[in-house]
Amino acid sequence: MQRELDCPSLVRRAGTLRLSSKIISDSMRSGSFRSLSRGRGIEFSGVREYLRGDDVRSIDWNVTARMGRTFVKQFEEDRDLILFVIVDTSLSMQTGSGPKSRLYSACETAALMSFAAAYAGGPVGGVLFNQDITFSSEPRNGRDSVMLLLSRFDEALDAAVSGGNTTAPGSALDKALKGAALLLKKRSLVIVISDFRTTGYERSLGMLSRRHDVIAVRITDTSDSDLPEIGTLPFIDMESSYSVRLPTSSMAFRRAWKEAESRRVERWQTECGRRNVKTLCISTLDDPAQNLQRFFAGREG
């Protein structure tokens, strides 16, 4: 299991994280966030009778046919950036071949997004899950809501490092997505952060994306695609405890390992794309702040 004894508490890093999130927030507020999904930032508020000069494209034909008079749709701008983070803390997230585990990278990413949303003046909430839901908080305004999330992230990280983690195998990703759909009343930006090494969540992900802007962030590690050439080694699956010895010295095996991971990521991206969910991959070796800034800046306009 990854030991992150040298990785500082996210609560203690709050000041640095807040500064790093400023450029992410600027990208989101400059138009990149609102362009993630057509119509983002505009909420339907009702209908009224057509007035001369109204845009004919705003005519509500269903109401017009029913009432016998012409009606147009009215919209109002939803100015708040409501952020909701869904963070996977399951056993498979507690692995990593470098100084940071997938779990630390996931929590760091969620912390940066939370501060970025707070910069924009919007409420922040989230869910943590492993084999079950371990924490849930509806979106609230203020720095306290962000610090509450950071403290929960630290608790999950401390449990993984100390060996006192009682997490059982399994993933409640599907349950977390369904819970978010019920909890969120207004259109929100939902960030789902996981290694997505589970199944059965796809339909719930699609249902959530019908009402919200959803970004799936896949936390990766170099070991997912590149294995060191150090002979035959035992590999253990954290979730199932299945153990197998793999020939890392074989060039053919290393190539097959890399190709298999490439196909998994491609299938995941395709499944997300079919459900209008944007995707982003962040490695445990990456600086999440840079990845997030490039992601939002790249979608401007």
Side-chain angles (χ1 to χ4, degrees), residues 209-294:
S209 70
R210 291 182 184 180
R211 293 195 59 219
H212 305 283
D213 293 321
V214 182
I215 300 173
V217 179
R218 188 183 185 102
I219 302 299
T220 66
D221 186 76
T222 53
S223 61
D224 294 339
S225 55
D226 297 311
L227 292 176
E229 188 178 348
I230 50 178
T232 300
L233 294 176
F235 283 71
I236 301 175
D237 183 273
M238 293 288 289
E239 297 288 355
S240 65
S241 297
Y242 175 74
S243 177
V244 63
R245 297 181 68 83
L246 301 178
T248 64
S249 294
S250 167
M251 182 180 297
F253 173 77
R254 293 199 309 275
R255 182 169 58 251
W257 179 276
K258 187 168 188 174
E259 291 173 351
E261 173 63 11
S262 178
R263 288 193 297 270
R264 279 192 293 269
V265 173
E266 186 177 349
R267 284 196 300 269
W268 170 74
Q269 290 173 330
T270 299
E271 288 297 317
C272 287
R274 286 176 53 201
R275 293 164 174 82
N276 198 32
V277 173
K278 303 297 184 293
T279 61
L280 172 64
C281 289
I282 295 180
S283 168
T284 55
L285 297 181
D286 290 340
D287 177 355
Q290 293 182 3
N291 285 54
L292 291 167
Q293 190 276 327
R294 285 196 298 266

Coordinates of all heavy atoms in Angstrom, one line a residue, residues 209-294:
S209 N -25.9 13.5 -15.9 CA -25.4 14.4 -16.9 C -26.6 15.1 -17.6 O -26.4 16.1 -18.4 CB -24.5 13.8 -17.9 OG -25.1 12.9 -18.7
R210 N -27.8 14.5 -17.5 CA -29.0 15.1 -18.1 C -29.3 16.5 -17.5 O -29.9 17.3 -18.2 CB -30.2 14.2 -18.1 CG -30.0 12.9 -18.9 CD -31.2 12.1 -18.9 NE -31.1 10.8 -19.6 CZ -32.0 9.9 -19.7 NH1 -33.2 10.0 -19.1 NH2 -31.8 8.8 -20.4
R211 N -29.1 16.6 -16.3 CA -29.4 17.9 -15.6 C -28.2 18.7 -15.1 O -28.4 19.8 -14.7 CB -30.3 17.5 -14.3 CG -31.7 16.9 -14.6 CD -32.5 17.0 -13.4 NE -32.7 18.4 -12.9 CZ -32.7 18.7 -11.6 NH1 -32.6 17.8 -10.7 NH2 -32.9 20.0 -11.3
H212 N -27.0 18.1 -15.2 CA -25.9 18.8 -14.7 C -24.7 18.7 -15.6 O -24.7 17.8 -16.5 CB -25.5 18.2 -13.3 CG -26.6 18.2 -12.3 ND1 -27.0 19.4 -11.6 CD2 -27.4 17.2 -11.9 CE1 -28.0 19.1 -10.8 NE2 -28.3 17.8 -11.0
D213 N -23.7 19.6 -15.5 CA -22.5 19.5 -16.2 C -21.6 18.5 -15.5 O -21.2 18.8 -14.3 CB -21.8 20.9 -16.4 CG -22.7 21.8 -17.2 OD1 -23.2 21.3 -18.2 OD2 -22.7 23.0 -16.9
V214 N -21.2 17.4 -16.1 CA -20.4 16.4 -15.4 C -19.1 16.2 -16.1 O -19.0 16.1 -17.3 CB -21.2 15.0 -15.4 CG1 -20.4 14.0 -14.6 CG2 -22.6 15.2 -14.8
I215 N -18.0 16.2 -15.2 CA -16.7 16.0 -15.7 C -16.2 14.8 -14.9 O -16.2 14.7 -13.7 CB -15.8 17.2 -15.4 CG1 -16.3 18.4 -16.2 CG2 -14.3 16.8 -15.9 CD1 -15.5 19.7 -15.9
A216 N -15.7 13.7 -15.7 CA -15.2 12.5 -15.1 C -13.7 12.6 -15.1 O -13.1 12.8 -16.2 CB -15.6 11.3 -15.8
V217 N -13.0 12.6 -13.9 CA -11.6 12.8 -13.8 C -11.0 11.4 -13.4 O -11.3 10.9 -12.3 CB -11.2 13.8 -12.8 CG1 -9.7 13.9 -12.7 CG2 -11.8 15.2 -13.1
R218 N -10.3 10.8 -14.3 CA -9.7 9.5 -14.1 C -8.3 9.6 -13.5 O -7.4 10.3 -14.2 CB -9.6 8.7 -15.4 CG -9.2 7.2 -15.3 CD -9.1 6.6 -16.6 NE -8.9 5.1 -16.5 CZ -9.8 4.2 -16.7 NH1 -11.0 4.5 -16.9 NH2 -9.4 2.9 -16.6
I219 N -8.1 9.1 -12.3 CA -6.7 9.2 -11.7 C -5.9 8.0 -12.2 O -6.3 6.8 -11.9 CB -6.8 9.2 -10.2 CG1 -7.7 10.4 -9.7 CG2 -5.5 9.3 -9.6 CD1 -7.2 11.8 -10.1
T220 N -4.8 8.2 -12.8 CA -4.0 7.2 -13.4 C -2.6 7.1 -12.7 O -2.3 8.0 -11.9 CB -3.8 7.4 -14.9 OG1 -3.0 8.6 -15.1 CG2 -5.1 7.5 -15.6
D221 N -1.9 6.1 -13.0 CA -0.6 5.9 -12.4 C 0.3 5.3 -13.5 O -0.2 4.6 -14.4 CB -0.6 5.0 -11.2 CG 0.8 4.9 -10.5 OD1 1.1 5.8 -9.8 OD2 1.5 3.8 -10.7
T222 N 1.6 5.6 -13.5 CA 2.5 5.1 -14.5 C 2.4 3.5 -14.6 O 2.6 3.0 -15.7 CB 3.9 5.5 -14.3 OG1 4.3 5.1 -13.0 CG2 4.1 7.0 -14.4
S223 N 2.2 2.9 -13.5 CA 2.1 1.4 -13.5 C 0.9 0.9 -14.3 O 0.9 -0.3 -14.6 CB 2.0 0.9 -12.1 OG 0.9 1.3 -11.4
D224 N -0.1 1.7 -14.6 CA -1.2 1.3 -15.4 C -0.8 0.9 -16.8 O -1.4 0.0 -17.4 CB -2.2 2.4 -15.5 CG -2.9 2.7 -14.1 OD1 -2.8 1.9 -13.2 OD2 -3.4 3.8 -14.0
S225 N 0.2 1.5 -17.3 CA 0.6 1.3 -18.7 C 2.1 0.9 -18.8 O 2.5 0.2 -19.8 CB 0.4 2.5 -19.6 OG 1.0 3.7 -19.0
D226 N 3.0 1.3 -17.9 CA 4.4 1.0 -18.0 C 4.9 0.3 -16.8 O 4.8 0.8 -15.7 CB 5.2 2.3 -18.2 CG 4.8 3.1 -19.4 OD1 4.8 2.5 -20.5 OD2 4.5 4.3 -19.3
L227 N 5.4 -0.9 -17.0 CA 5.9 -1.8 -16.0 C 7.4 -1.8 -16.0 O 8.0 -1.8 -17.0 CB 5.4 -3.2 -16.1 CG 3.9 -3.4 -15.9 CD1 3.6 -4.9 -16.1 CD2 3.5 -3.1 -14.5
P228 N 8.1 -1.8 -14.8 CA 9.5 -1.9 -14.8 C 10.0 -3.3 -15.2 O 9.3 -4.3 -14.9 CB 9.9 -1.6 -13.3 CG 8.6 -2.0 -12.6 CD 7.5 -1.7 -13.5
E229 N 11.1 -3.4 -15.8 CA 11.7 -4.6 -16.3 C 12.5 -5.2 -15.1 O 13.7 -5.1 -15.1 CB 12.5 -4.4 -17.5 CG 13.0 -5.7 -18.2 CD 13.8 -5.5 -19.4 OE1 13.8 -4.3 -19.9 OE2 14.4 -6.4 -19.9
I230 N 11.8 -5.9 -14.2 CA 12.5 -6.4 -13.0 C 12.2 -7.9 -12.7 O 12.2 -8.3 -11.5 CB 12.3 -5.5 -11.8 CG1 10.8 -5.3 -11.6 CG2 13.0 -4.2 -11.9 CD1 10.5 -4.5 -10.4
G231 N 11.9 -8.7 -13.7 CA 11.7 -10.1 -13.5 C 10.2 -10.4 -13.2 O 9.3 -9.6 -13.4
T232 N 10.0 -11.6 -12.8 CA 8.6 -12.1 -12.5 C 8.2 -11.6 -11.1 O 8.9 -12.0 -10.1 CB 8.5 -13.6 -12.5 OG1 8.9 -14.0 -13.9 CG2 7.1 -14.1 -12.2
L233 N 7.1 -10.9 -11.0 CA 6.7 -10.3 -9.7 C 5.3 -10.7 -9.4 O 4.5 -10.9 -10.3 CB 6.8 -8.8 -9.8 CG 8.2 -8.2 -9.9 CD1 8.1 -6.7 -10.0 CD2 9.1 -8.5 -8.7
P234 N 5.0 -10.8 -8.1 CA 3.6 -11.0 -7.7 C 2.8 -9.7 -7.7 O 3.3 -8.7 -7.2 CB 3.7 -11.6 -6.2 CG 5.0 -11.0 -5.7 CD 5.9 -10.9 -6.9
F235 N 1.6 -9.7 -8.3 CA 0.7 -8.6 -8.3 C -0.6 -9.0 -7.6 O -1.1 -10.1 -7.8 CB 0.4 -8.2 -9.8 CG 1.5 -7.5 -10.5 CD1 2.6 -8.1 -10.9 CD2 1.3 -6.1 -10.7 CE1 3.7 -7.4 -11.5 CE2 2.3 -5.4 -11.4 CZ 3.5 -6.1 -11.8
I236 N -1.0 -8.1 -6.7 CA -2.2 -8.3 -5.9 C -3.3 -7.3 -6.2 O -3.0 -6.1 -6.1 CB -1.9 -8.4 -4.4 CG1 -0.9 -9.4 -4.1 CG2 -3.2 -8.6 -3.6 CD1 -0.4 -9.4 -2.7
D237 N -4.5 -7.7 -6.5 CA -5.6 -6.8 -6.7 C -6.1 -6.3 -5.4 O -6.5 -7.2 -4.6 CB -6.7 -7.4 -7.6 CG -7.8 -6.5 -7.9 OD1 -8.7 -6.3 -7.0 OD2 -7.8 -5.8 -8.9
M238 N -6.1 -5.0 -5.1 CA -6.5 -4.5 -3.8 C -8.0 -4.8 -3.5 O -8.3 -5.0 -2.3 CB -6.3 -3.0 -3.7 CG -4.8 -2.6 -3.8 SD -4.0 -3.0 -2.2 CE -4.7 -1.8 -1.1
E239 N -8.8 -4.8 -4.5 CA -10.2 -5.0 -4.3 C -10.6 -6.5 -4.0 O -11.4 -6.8 -3.2 CB -11.0 -4.5 -5.4 CG -10.9 -3.0 -5.6 CD -11.6 -2.2 -4.6 OE1 -12.3 -2.8 -3.7 OE2 -11.5 -0.9 -4.5
S240 N -10.0 -7.4 -4.8 CA -10.4 -8.8 -4.8 C -9.4 -9.7 -4.1 O -9.7 -10.9 -3.8 CB -10.6 -9.3 -6.2 OG -9.3 -9.3 -6.9
S241 N -8.2 -9.1 -3.8 CA -7.1 -9.9 -3.1 C -6.6 -11.0 -4.1 O -5.8 -11.8 -3.7 CB -7.5 -10.5 -1.8 OG -7.9 -9.5 -0.9
Y242 N -7.0 -11.0 -5.3 CA -6.5 -11.9 -6.3 C -5.0 -11.7 -6.6 O -4.6 -10.5 -6.8 CB -7.3 -11.8 -7.6 CG -6.7 -12.7 -8.7 CD1 -7.0 -14.0 -8.7 CD2 -6.0 -12.1 -9.8 CE1 -6.5 -14.8 -9.8 CE2 -5.5 -12.9 -10.8 CZ -5.8 -14.3 -10.8 OH -5.3 -15.0 -11.8
S243 N -4.2 -12.7 -6.5 CA -2.8 -12.6 -6.7 C -2.3 -13.4 -7.9 O -2.8 -14.5 -8.2 CB -2.0 -13.1 -5.5 OG -0.6 -13.1 -5.6
V244 N -1.4 -12.8 -8.7 CA -0.8 -13.5 -9.8 C 0.6 -13.0 -10.1 O 1.0 -11.9 -9.7 CB -1.7 -13.2 -11.1 CG1 -1.7 -11.7 -11.4 CG2 -1.3 -14.0 -12.3
R245 N 1.4 -13.9 -10.6 CA 2.8 -13.6 -10.9 C 2.9 -13.2 -12.4 O 2.5 -14.0 -13.2 CB 3.8 -14.7 -10.5 CG 3.7 -15.1 -9.1 CD 4.7 -16.2 -8.7 NE 6.1 -15.8 -8.9 CZ 6.8 -15.2 -8.0 NH1 6.3 -14.9 -6.8 NH2 8.1 -14.9 -8.2
L246 N 3.5 -12.0 -12.6 CA 3.6 -11.5 -14.0 C 5.0 -11.4 -14.5 O 5.9 -10.9 -13.7 CB 2.8 -10.2 -14.1 CG 1.4 -10.2 -13.7 CD1 0.8 -8.8 -13.8 CD2 0.6 -11.2 -14.6
P247 N 5.3 -11.7 -15.7 CA 6.7 -11.7 -16.3 C 7.0 -10.3 -16.8 O 7.0 -10.0 -18.0 CB 6.6 -12.7 -17.4 CG 5.2 -12.6 -17.9 CD 4.3 -12.3 -16.7
T248 N 7.5 -9.4 -15.9 CA 7.7 -8.0 -16.3 C 9.0 -7.9 -17.2 O 9.2 -6.9 -17.9 CB 7.9 -7.1 -15.1 OG1 9.1 -7.5 -14.4 CG2 6.7 -7.1 -14.2
S249 N 9.8 -9.0 -17.3 CA 11.0 -8.9 -18.2 C 10.6 -9.2 -19.6 O 11.4 -9.0 -20.5 CB 12.0 -10.0 -17.7 OG 12.5 -9.6 -16.4
S250 N 9.4 -9.7 -19.8 CA 9.0 -10.0 -21.2 C 8.5 -8.7 -21.9 O 7.6 -8.1 -21.5 CB 7.9 -11.0 -21.2 OG 7.2 -11.1 -22.4
M251 N 9.2 -8.4 -23.0 CA 8.8 -7.2 -23.8 C 7.4 -7.4 -24.4 O 6.6 -6.4 -24.4 CB 9.8 -7.0 -25.0 CG 9.5 -5.8 -25.8 SD 10.7 -5.5 -27.1 CE 12.2 -5.3 -26.2
A252 N 7.1 -8.6 -24.8 CA 5.7 -8.8 -25.4 C 4.7 -8.6 -24.3 O 3.6 -8.0 -24.6 CB 5.6 -10.3 -25.9
F253 N 4.9 -9.1 -23.1 CA 4.0 -8.9 -22.0 C 3.8 -7.4 -21.6 O 2.7 -6.9 -21.5 CB 4.4 -9.6 -20.7 CG 3.5 -9.4 -19.5 CD1 2.3 -9.9 -19.4 CD2 4.0 -8.5 -18.5 CE1 1.5 -9.7 -18.3 CE2 3.1 -8.2 -17.5 CZ 1.9 -8.8 -17.4
R254 N 4.9 -6.7 -21.6 CA 4.8 -5.2 -21.2 C 4.1 -4.5 -22.3 O 3.3 -3.6 -22.0 CB 6.2 -4.6 -21.0 CG 7.0 -5.2 -19.8 CD 8.1 -4.3 -19.4 NE 9.0 -3.9 -20.5 CZ 10.0 -4.7 -20.9 NH1 10.3 -5.8 -20.3 NH2 10.8 -4.3 -22.0
R255 N 4.3 -4.9 -23.6 CA 3.5 -4.2 -24.7 C 2.0 -4.5 -24.6 O 1.2 -3.6 -24.7 CB 4.1 -4.7 -26.0 CG 3.4 -4.0 -27.2 CD 4.1 -4.3 -28.5 NE 4.2 -5.7 -28.8 CZ 5.3 -6.4 -28.7 NH1 6.5 -5.8 -28.4 NH2 5.4 -7.7 -29.0
A256 N 1.7 -5.8 -24.3 CA 0.3 -6.2 -24.1 C -0.3 -5.5 -22.9 O -1.5 -5.1 -23.0 CB 0.2 -7.7 -23.9
W257 N 0.4 -5.3 -21.9 CA -0.1 -4.6 -20.7 C -0.4 -3.1 -21.0 O -1.5 -2.6 -20.7 CB 1.0 -4.6 -19.6 CG 0.7 -3.9 -18.3 CD1 0.8 -2.6 -18.0 CD2 0.2 -4.5 -17.1 NE1 0.5 -2.3 -16.8 CE2 0.0 -3.5 -16.2 CE3 -0.2 -5.8 -16.8 CZ2 -0.4 -3.7 -14.9 CZ3 -0.7 -6.0 -15.5 CH2 -0.8 -5.0 -14.5
K258 N 0.5 -2.5 -21.8 CA 0.2 -1.1 -22.2 C -0.9 -1.0 -23.1 O -1.8 0.0 -23.0 CB 1.5 -0.5 -22.8 CG 1.5 1.0 -23.1 CD 2.8 1.5 -23.5 CE 2.8 3.0 -23.6 NZ 4.2 3.5 -23.9
E259 N -1.1 -1.9 -24.1 CA -2.2 -1.8 -25.0 C -3.5 -2.1 -24.3 O -4.5 -1.4 -24.7 CB -1.9 -2.8 -26.1 CG -0.8 -2.5 -27.0 CD -0.4 -3.6 -28.0 OE1 -1.0 -4.7 -27.9 OE2 0.4 -3.4 -28.9
A260 N -3.5 -3.0 -23.4 CA -4.8 -3.2 -22.6 C -5.2 -2.0 -21.9 O -6.4 -1.7 -21.9 CB -4.5 -4.4 -21.7
E261 N -4.3 -1.3 -21.3 CA -4.7 -0.1 -20.5 C -5.2 1.0 -21.5 O -6.2 1.7 -21.2 CB -3.5 0.5 -19.8 CG -3.7 1.8 -19.1 CD -4.8 1.8 -18.0 OE1 -5.3 0.7 -17.6 OE2 -5.2 2.9 -17.6
S262 N -4.6 1.1 -22.7 CA -5.0 2.1 -23.7 C -6.4 1.8 -24.1 O -7.3 2.7 -24.3 CB -4.1 2.0 -24.9 OG -4.5 2.9 -25.9
R263 N -6.8 0.5 -24.3 CA -8.1 0.1 -24.7 C -9.1 0.4 -23.6 O -10.2 0.9 -23.8 CB -8.2 -1.3 -25.0 CG -7.5 -1.7 -26.4 CD -7.8 -3.1 -26.8 NE -7.4 -4.1 -25.9 CZ -6.2 -4.7 -25.9 NH1 -5.3 -4.3 -26.9 NH2 -5.8 -5.6 -25.1
R264 N -8.7 0.2 -22.3 CA -9.6 0.5 -21.2 C -10.0 2.0 -21.1 O -11.1 2.4 -20.9 CB -9.0 0.1 -19.9 CG -9.1 -1.4 -19.5 CD -8.7 -1.7 -18.1 NE -7.3 -1.5 -17.9 CZ -6.4 -2.4 -18.0 NH1 -6.7 -3.6 -18.4 NH2 -5.1 -2.1 -17.8
V265 N -9.0 2.8 -21.3 CA -9.2 4.3 -21.2 C -10.0 4.7 -22.4 O -10.9 5.6 -22.2 CB -7.8 5.0 -21.2 CG1 -8.1 6.5 -21.3 CG2 -7.1 4.7 -19.9
E266 N -9.8 4.2 -23.6 CA -10.5 4.5 -24.8 C -12.0 4.2 -24.6 O -12.9 4.9 -25.0 CB -9.9 3.9 -26.0 CG -10.6 4.3 -27.3 CD -9.9 3.7 -28.5 OE1 -8.8 3.1 -28.4 OE2 -10.5 3.8 -29.6
R267 N -12.3 2.9 -24.1 CA -13.6 2.5 -23.8 C -14.3 3.4 -22.8 O -15.5 3.8 -23.0 CB -13.7 1.1 -23.3 CG -13.4 0.0 -24.4 CD -13.9 -1.3 -23.9 NE -13.2 -1.7 -22.7 CZ -12.0 -2.4 -22.7 NH1 -11.5 -2.8 -23.9 NH2 -11.4 -2.8 -21.6
W268 N -13.6 3.8 -21.8 CA -14.2 4.7 -20.7 C -14.5 6.1 -21.3 O -15.6 6.6 -21.1 CB -13.1 4.9 -19.6 CG -13.4 5.9 -18.6 CD1 -14.4 5.9 -17.7 CD2 -12.7 7.2 -18.5 NE1 -14.4 7.1 -16.9 CE2 -13.4 7.9 -17.4 CE3 -11.7 7.8 -19.2 CZ2 -12.9 9.1 -17.0 CZ3 -11.3 9.0 -18.7 CH2 -11.9 9.7 -17.7
Q269 N -13.6 6.6 -22.2 CA -13.8 7.9 -22.8 C -15.0 7.8 -23.7 O -15.9 8.8 -23.8 CB -12.6 8.4 -23.5 CG -11.4 8.8 -22.6 CD -10.2 9.1 -23.4 OE1 -9.9 8.5 -24.5 NE2 -9.3 9.9 -22.9
T270 N -15.2 6.7 -24.5 CA -16.3 6.6 -25.4 C -17.6 6.5 -24.6 O -18.6 7.1 -25.0 CB -16.1 5.3 -26.2 OG1 -14.9 5.4 -27.0 CG2 -17.3 5.1 -27.1
E271 N -17.6 5.7 -23.5 CA -18.8 5.6 -22.7 C -19.2 6.9 -22.1 O -20.4 7.3 -22.1 CB -18.6 4.5 -21.6 CG -18.6 3.1 -22.1 CD -19.9 2.7 -22.7 OE1 -20.9 3.0 -22.2 OE2 -19.8 2.0 -23.8
C272 N -18.3 7.7 -21.6 CA -18.6 9.0 -21.1 C -19.1 9.9 -22.2 O -20.0 10.7 -22.0 CB -17.3 9.6 -20.4 SG -16.9 8.8 -18.8
G273 N -18.4 9.9 -23.3 CA -18.8 10.8 -24.4 C -20.3 10.5 -24.9 O -21.0 11.5 -25.2
R274 N -20.7 9.3 -24.9 CA -22.0 8.9 -25.2 C -23.0 9.5 -24.3 O -24.2 9.7 -24.6 CB -22.2 7.4 -25.2 CG -21.5 6.7 -26.4 CD -21.7 5.2 -26.3 NE -23.1 4.8 -26.0 CZ -23.5 3.7 -25.5 NH1 -22.6 2.8 -25.0 NH2 -24.8 3.4 -25.4
R275 N -22.6 9.8 -23.1 CA -23.5 10.3 -22.0 C -23.3 11.8 -21.8 O -23.7 12.4 -20.8 CB -23.3 9.5 -20.8 CG -23.8 8.1 -20.9 CD -23.3 7.2 -19.8 NE -23.9 5.9 -19.9 CZ -23.5 4.9 -20.7 NH1 -22.4 5.1 -21.5 NH2 -24.1 3.7 -20.8
N276 N -22.6 12.5 -22.7 CA -22.3 13.9 -22.6 C -21.5 14.3 -21.4 O -21.7 15.3 -20.8 CB -23.6 14.7 -22.7 CG -23.4 16.2 -23.0 OD1 -22.5 16.5 -23.8 ND2 -24.2 17.1 -22.5
V277 N -20.6 13.4 -21.0 CA -19.7 13.6 -19.9 C -18.3 13.9 -20.4 O -17.8 13.1 -21.1 CB -19.7 12.4 -18.9 CG1 -18.7 12.6 -17.8 CG2 -21.1 12.2 -18.3
K278 N -17.8 15.0 -20.0 CA -16.4 15.4 -20.4 C -15.4 14.6 -19.6 O -15.7 14.2 -18.4 CB -16.1 16.9 -20.2 CG -17.1 17.8 -20.9 CD -17.0 17.6 -22.4 CE -17.9 18.6 -23.2 NZ -19.3 18.3 -22.9
T279 N -14.2 14.3 -20.1 CA -13.3 13.4 -19.4 C -11.9 14.1 -19.3 O -11.5 14.9 -20.2 CB -13.1 12.1 -20.2 OG1 -12.6 12.3 -21.5 CG2 -14.3 11.3 -20.2
L280 N -11.2 13.8 -18.2 CA -9.9 14.3 -18.0 C -9.1 13.3 -17.2 O -9.6 12.7 -16.3 CB -9.9 15.6 -17.2 CG -8.6 16.2 -16.6 CD1 -7.7 16.6 -17.8 CD2 -8.9 17.3 -15.7
C281 N -7.9 13.0 -17.7 CA -7.0 12.0 -17.0 C -5.9 12.8 -16.3 O -5.3 13.7 -16.9 CB -6.4 11.1 -18.0 SG -7.5 9.8 -18.7
I282 N -5.7 12.5 -15.0 CA -4.6 13.1 -14.2 C -3.8 12.0 -13.6 O -4.3 11.1 -12.9 CB -5.2 14.0 -13.1 CG1 -6.0 15.2 -13.7 CG2 -4.1 14.5 -12.2 CD1 -6.6 16.1 -12.7
S283 N -2.5 12.0 -13.9 CA -1.6 11.0 -13.3 C -1.1 11.4 -11.9 O -1.1 12.6 -11.5 CB -0.4 10.9 -14.2 OG 0.6 10.1 -13.6
T284 N -0.7 10.4 -11.1 CA -0.2 10.6 -9.8 C 1.1 11.4 -9.9 O 1.5 12.0 -8.9 CB 0.1 9.3 -9.1 OG1 0.9 8.5 -9.9 CG2 -1.3 8.6 -8.8
L285 N 1.7 11.5 -11.0 CA 2.9 12.3 -11.2 C 2.7 13.7 -11.7 O 3.6 14.6 -11.7 CB 3.9 11.6 -12.2 CG 4.4 10.2 -11.9 CD1 5.3 9.7 -13.0 CD2 5.1 10.3 -10.5
D286 N 1.4 14.0 -12.0 CA 1.0 15.3 -12.5 C 0.8 16.3 -11.4 O 0.6 16.0 -10.3 CB -0.3 15.3 -13.3 CG -0.1 14.5 -14.7 OD1 1.1 14.4 -15.1 OD2 -1.1 14.1 -15.2
D287 N 0.9 17.6 -11.8 CA 0.4 18.7 -10.9 C -1.0 18.9 -11.3 O -1.3 19.5 -12.4 CB 1.2 20.0 -11.2 CG 0.8 21.2 -10.4 OD1 -0.3 21.0 -9.7 OD2 1.4 22.2 -10.4
P288 N -2.0 18.6 -10.4 CA -3.4 18.7 -10.8 C -3.8 20.1 -11.2 O -4.7 20.3 -12.0 CB -4.1 18.2 -9.5 CG -3.2 17.3 -8.9 CD -1.8 17.9 -9.1
A289 N -3.2 21.1 -10.5 CA -3.5 22.5 -10.8 C -3.3 22.8 -12.3 O -4.1 23.5 -12.9 CB -2.8 23.5 -9.9
Q290 N -2.1 22.4 -12.8 CA -1.8 22.7 -14.2 C -2.8 21.9 -15.2 O -3.2 22.5 -16.2 CB -0.4 22.3 -14.5 CG 0.7 23.1 -13.8 CD 2.1 22.7 -14.2 OE1 2.3 21.8 -15.0 NE2 3.0 23.3 -13.6
N291 N -3.1 20.7 -14.8 CA -4.0 19.9 -15.7 C -5.4 20.6 -15.7 O -6.0 20.7 -16.8 CB -4.1 18.5 -15.1 CG -2.9 17.6 -15.4 OD1 -1.8 18.0 -15.1 ND2 -3.2 16.5 -16.0
L292 N -5.9 21.0 -14.6 CA -7.2 21.6 -14.5 C -7.3 22.9 -15.2 O -8.2 23.2 -15.9 CB -7.6 21.8 -13.0 CG -7.9 20.5 -12.3 CD1 -8.0 20.8 -10.8 CD2 -9.2 19.8 -12.8
Q293 N -6.2 23.7 -15.1 CA -6.2 25.0 -15.8 C -6.2 24.8 -17.3 O -6.9 25.5 -18.0 CB -4.9 25.8 -15.3 CG -4.9 27.3 -15.8 CD -4.4 27.4 -17.2 OE1 -3.5 26.6 -17.6 NE2 -4.9 28.4 -17.9
R294 N -5.4 23.9 -17.8 CA -5.3 23.6 -19.2 C -6.7 23.1 -19.7 O -7.1 23.4 -20.8 CB -4.2 22.6 -19.5 CG -2.8 23.2 -19.5 CD -1.8 22.3 -20.2 NE -1.8 21.0 -19.5 CZ -0.9 20.6 -18.6 NH1 0.0 21.5 -18.2 NH2 -0.9 19.4 -18.1

